Amino acid sequence: MLLALAAMPMLVRAQDDLIRKIESNKSYTTAAPGATVADDKKYHFTNIIDLEHTDVRNQASSGTCWSYSTNSFLESEMMRMGKEPIELSQIFSARCVYMDKAENYVRMHGAISWGDGGECHDVINMYEKYGAMPQEAYTGLQYGTTKNKFAEMQAVLKGMLDAVIANHNGKLTTAWKKAFNDVLDAYLGPIPEKFKWDNRTYTPKTFAAERVGIHPEDYVELSSFMEDPYYKKTMLMVPDNWSFGRVYNVQMNDLTDIIDNALNKGFSVAWAADVSEKYFSWKNGVAYVPEKDYEDMSDTEKKYMFDGPKDERVITPEKRQAAYDNYETTDDHGMHIVGLAADQNGRKYYIVKNSWGDKNDYKGFIYVSKAYVQYKTTAILLHKNGVPQTLRNKMNF
């Protein structure tokens, strides 16, 4: 148990470590003040589609990107349906996940991942099971902080769960779930049974039904794996899939075809992907797949990676699968695709809303090439009506 407690802060700081890892992924002009690049060589984006969305948020020191991105997606869904946009409580969704994940962790004798991590479908599942709350009614800021800071909480929670599964009494007691919930109350605050919003009283379930108004059965999650049958459901084999959720398996090119179709019809997309590559620059707000591997680039090529459009690698299903199999593609981060843009050469990029605040060149947004999305996506989630009808027919929804 002491070893588990010692290791846990490293696990729950994964999001902080990820951001630190990619901090140096930025243009030479940023890295070396005074160095210049001709203006016509820099990126110039023209937005083609820019769907309605709420403001950029900051998940701070917590691995709750999946909750921020998918709740952002639900906020855009409300706007698409003509409803008043309301910032939804990301930590309410996460709190519900922690409770359900704890039950699975104990049932599986600790043989699943523990921590802040989750998947896009977790928000939909928690919405269906527990409801939703506005951010103002449940902030999760219980002990004097103004931003999320979850390392201590997650260390305590994992230590408690590991003590439970050690089974020192010979069989589990009925007390552990209450004790676990009490710890969550201490760190995040108790979940109110009822709360007032806009001069009305709601429960989380009635707020979800009456103010948010989505239908969970209308949302589908998809990925692409070569080893599984296409257009059937398969297990999403990533560590944070603690609920063993299944996704529709489509071909690689289908992923971008689906996103394009959705955006053109006014549907945004929740996006889970690997962002740990050298060619993902949060600072400059650009992600693409250069022709050369980073290790094969010259020093000059590395310096100018983000100073303007470059030729991209052709991505194949085989390359995508190999990157997933050898851990080059891992389930790092959740974001929200809200539009489509083109650079000065006509190459298309998705406009992606992040949850790391607005301290980058595009005020919290990043332009991501289609090749990057094909290569590094782990899953997408969207309204089923955003999927082309030909593909819906193949998947029977």
Side-chain angles (χ1 to χ4, degrees):
M1 180 176 171
L2 288 174
L3 288 173
L5 284 169
M8 194 59 202
M10 297 175 61
L11 295 175
V12 298
R13 288 199 301 266
Q15 191 73 12
D16 298 341
D17 292 342
L18 174 63
I19 295 172
R20 280 192 289 269
K21 179 180 179 180
I22 64 175
E23 276 181 338
S24 62
N25 298 354
K26 53 191 175 184
S27 68
Y28 183 62
T29 52
T30 301
T36 60
V37 173
D39 187 65
D40 62 352
K41 298 294 185 182
K42 298 178 183 179
Y43 280 104
H44 294 281
F45 293 110
T46 301
N47 290 1
I48 301 168
I49 299 171
D50 191 2
L51 300 181
E52 288 187 292
H53 52 77
T54 51
D55 293 340
V56 170
R57 315 296 181 189
N58 189 352
Q59 68 190 78
S61 186
S62 72
T64 54
C65 54
W66 53 274
S67 187
Y68 276 78
S69 58
T70 312
N71 274 294
S72 172
F73 165 78
L74 293 185
E75 292 161 10
S76 285
E77 282 291 274
M78 294 176 69
M79 299 169 85
R80 180 184 64 79
M81 295 186 292
K83 293 177 174 289
E84 174 195 0
I86 299 170
E87 182 183 1
L88 300 176
S89 172
Q90 307 90 359
I91 303 308
F92 173 76
S93 300
R95 162 73 184 262
C96 295
V97 162
Y98 299 155
M99 293 187 293
D100 282 15
K101 188 192 294 189
E103 291 197 30
N104 276 14
Y105 187 85
V106 171
R107 191 174 300 279
M108 295 293 290
H109 298 235
I112 62 170
S113 174
W114 181 262
D116 282 336
E119 300 298 330
C120 299
H121 59 248
D122 287 333
V123 172
I124 303 297
N125 292 344
M126 296 305 103
Y127 177 96
E128 182 174 29
K129 187 173 181 180
Y130 298 107
M133 296 182 68
Q135 167 70 7
E136 289 181 19
Y138 194 76
T139 65
L141 302 173
Q142 180 70 7
Y143 50 93
T145 61
T146 58
K147 295 180 180 178
N148 300 331
K149 198 169 183 66
F150 286 179
E152 179 182 296
M153 176 187 74
Q154 288 293 2
V156 171
L157 292 174
K158 187 174 188 298
M160 173 182 287
L161 293 175
D162 287 343
V164 170
I165 64 177
N167 194 21
H168 294 295
N169 286 0
K171 66 177 182 179
L172 300 191
T173 70
T174 59
W176 78 264
K177 292 182 185 180
K178 182 181 184 305
F180 184 86
N181 194 60
D182 288 346
V183 172
L184 287 173
D185 284 350
Y187 279 97
L188 301 178
I191 296 174
E193 291 185 11
K194 296 181 180 180
F195 59 91
K196 281 198 170 183
W197 175 261
D198 199 17
N199 295 319
R200 290 186 57 188
T201 299
Y202 295 96
T203 68
K205 293 285 282 187
T206 60
F207 183 82
E210 297 172 23
R211 297 304 295 263
V212 182
I214 70 154
H215 301 287
E217 66 273 14
D218 288 339
Y219 295 86
V220 292
E221 193 171 27
L222 309 100
S223 191
S224 181
F225 304 103
M226 287 185 66
E227 73 271 22
D228 295 326
Y230 289 124
Y231 310 115
K232 305 289 184 184
K233 279 199 167 184
T234 187
M235 182 73 71
L236 180 61
M237 298 293 286
V238 294
D240 282 335
N241 186 18
W242 60 271
S243 65
F244 313 113
R246 294 169 65 81
V247 299
Y248 287 99
N249 189 41
V250 298
Q251 298 192 54
M252 183 190 77
N253 290 339
D254 291 333
L255 291 172
T256 44
D257 288 346
I258 290 168
I259 297 171
D260 290 346
N261 185 75
L263 295 175
N264 277 303
K265 288 187 172 182
F267 296 92
S268 67
V269 179
W271 179 47
D274 181 304
V275 301
S276 63
E277 302 293 350
K278 289 289 188 182
Y279 40 86
F280 181 101
S281 174
W282 167 239
K283 172 62 181 71
N284 296 125
V286 176
Y288 73 107
V289 187
E291 283 190 304
K292 293 182 182 179
D293 286 333
Y294 186 80
E295 293 76 11
D296 297 329
M297 291 182 184
S298 67
D299 289 344
T300 299
E301 288 171 325
K302 291 176 181 178
K303 286 179 180 178
Y304 289 100
M305 276 181 67
F306 302 107
D307 284 320
K310 307 289 190 299
D311 290 335
E312 282 196 281
R313 195 177 316 172
V314 176
I315 305 303
T316 65
E318 290 77 13
K319 288 178 181 177
R320 170 184 164 81
Q321 186 66 44
Y324 174 79
D325 289 341
N326 67 21
Y327 293 3
E328 284 182 279
T329 295
T330 55
D331 188 39
D332 292 337
H333 194 41
M335 292 160 283
H336 180 198
I337 299 173
V338 297
L340 184 71
D343 67 17
Q344 62 265 43
N345 298 330
R347 181 179 296 150
K348 302 292 179 59
Y349 299 74
Y350 295 116
I351 305 170
V352 177
K353 177 185 172 186
N354 202 356
S355 56
W356 291 346
D358 59 3
K359 305 300 184 184
N360 80 332
D361 288 357
Y362 293 106
K363 305 299 182 184
F365 293 84
I366 184 165
Y367 289 86
V368 181
S369 76
K370 289 191 174 187
Y372 191 99
V373 169
Q374 289 178 342
Y375 195 26
K376 291 295 172 177
T377 293
T378 53
I380 60 174
L381 182 143
L382 71 162
H383 194 287
K384 64 184 180 183
N385 289 345
V387 179
Q389 189 61 52
T390 53
L391 293 178
R392 290 185 61 181
N393 292 341
K394 290 181 180 181
M395 292 178 277
N396 295 314
F397 65 75

